[in-house]
């Protein structure tokens, strides 16, 4: 993959070099002017946006530098997280306590279930009288297909 990419890049560079070599001097000068104009336009746009940024910073930070302003912003966010951390720790402590209470309650129920007197109370005795099931009472299985006479 890397070799193919490098091969393609080399082919593009060779094609560009061949095209520039075949160009006339007027065409080269025109291409150079267009490139210079594009670069100048890009510089002007960057300076314009830098000016906008500087004006914004002057309006938002009256006597602070940008680094001081950023430190204040980070300190504010850090304080908010510290407040939330206390709430989170209280919530986790409550969850651990509730889990421990539930575990104790389940162990108590398990111990109560394992006592012999209560264990017998929870069991239902089901007795099936095998005398009521005889072959005469059970219907015969009828085979519909294939039908053979025996």
């Amino acid at each position: 993959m890397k070799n193919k990419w490098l091969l393609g890049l080399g082919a593009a560079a060779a094609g560009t070099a061949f095209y520039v070599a075949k160009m006339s001097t007027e065409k080269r000068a025109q291409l150079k002017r267009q490139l210079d104009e594009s670069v100048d336009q890009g510089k002007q746009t960057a300076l314009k946006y830098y000016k906008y940024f500087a004006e914004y910073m002057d309006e938002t930070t009256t006597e602070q530098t940008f680094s001081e302003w950023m430190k204040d912003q980070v300190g504010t966010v850090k304080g908010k997280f510290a407040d939330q951390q206390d709430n989170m720790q209280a919530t986790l402590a409550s969850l651990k306590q509730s889990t421990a209470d539930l575990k104790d309650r389940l162990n108590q129920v398990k111990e109560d279930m394992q006592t012999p007197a209560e264990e017998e109370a929870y069991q239902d005795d089901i007795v099936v009288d095998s005398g009521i099931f005889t072959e005469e009472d059970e219907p015969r299985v009828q085979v519909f297909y294939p039908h053979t006479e025996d």
Side-chain angles (χ1 to χ4, degrees):
M1 178 77 184
K2 193 173 185 180
N3 292 336
K4 289 180 182 179
W5 187 80
L6 290 175
L7 184 62
L9 184 63
T16 304
F18 179 73
Y19 181 72
V20 170
K22 292 290 184 177
M23 265 192 213
S24 63
T25 55
E26 291 177 10
K27 191 79 167 165
R28 285 184 200 168
Q30 182 184 5
L31 185 62
K32 186 176 180 181
R33 276 194 308 272
Q34 287 176 347
L35 183 63
D36 288 340
E37 288 173 3
S38 297
V39 169
D40 288 340
Q41 230 175 11
K43 286 179 183 178
Q44 289 174 1
T45 304
L47 289 173
K48 180 175 76 172
Y49 284 115
Y50 177 75
K51 182 178 144 188
Y52 291 152
F53 175 73
E55 289 175 3
Y56 173 75
M57 291 307 297
D58 288 341
E59 290 174 4
T60 57
T61 58
T62 54
E63 296 179 9
Q64 294 178 334
T65 63
F66 178 72
S67 62
E68 291 172 349
W69 176 78
M70 194 59 141
K71 286 178 185 177
D72 290 343
Q73 295 298 321
V74 169
T76 304
V77 172
K78 188 177 179 181
K80 288 179 183 177
F81 277 120
D83 294 341
Q84 293 298 326
Q85 185 179 8
D86 293 340
N87 291 338
M88 185 61 84
Q89 287 177 348
T91 303
L92 287 175
S94 173
L95 178 65
K96 287 179 182 178
Q97 181 61 39
S98 298
T99 304
D101 292 344
L102 179 62
K103 191 175 185 180
D104 292 341
R105 176 71 179 136
L106 289 174
N107 285 335
Q108 181 184 1
V109 169
K110 182 180 176 183
E111 289 173 7
D112 291 344
M113 293 285 290
Q114 290 178 352
T115 58
E118 289 183 9
E119 189 174 324
E120 291 175 7
Y122 286 119
Q123 292 182 352
D124 291 331
D125 293 333
I126 300 175
V127 178
V128 177
D129 186 10
S130 62
I132 61 172
F133 296 107
T134 62
E135 289 186 23
E136 296 172 0
D137 293 339
E138 294 179 13
R140 277 186 55 192
V141 177
Q142 295 181 2
V143 178
F144 295 102
Y145 184 80
H147 189 67
T148 59
E149 293 182 24
D150 289 328

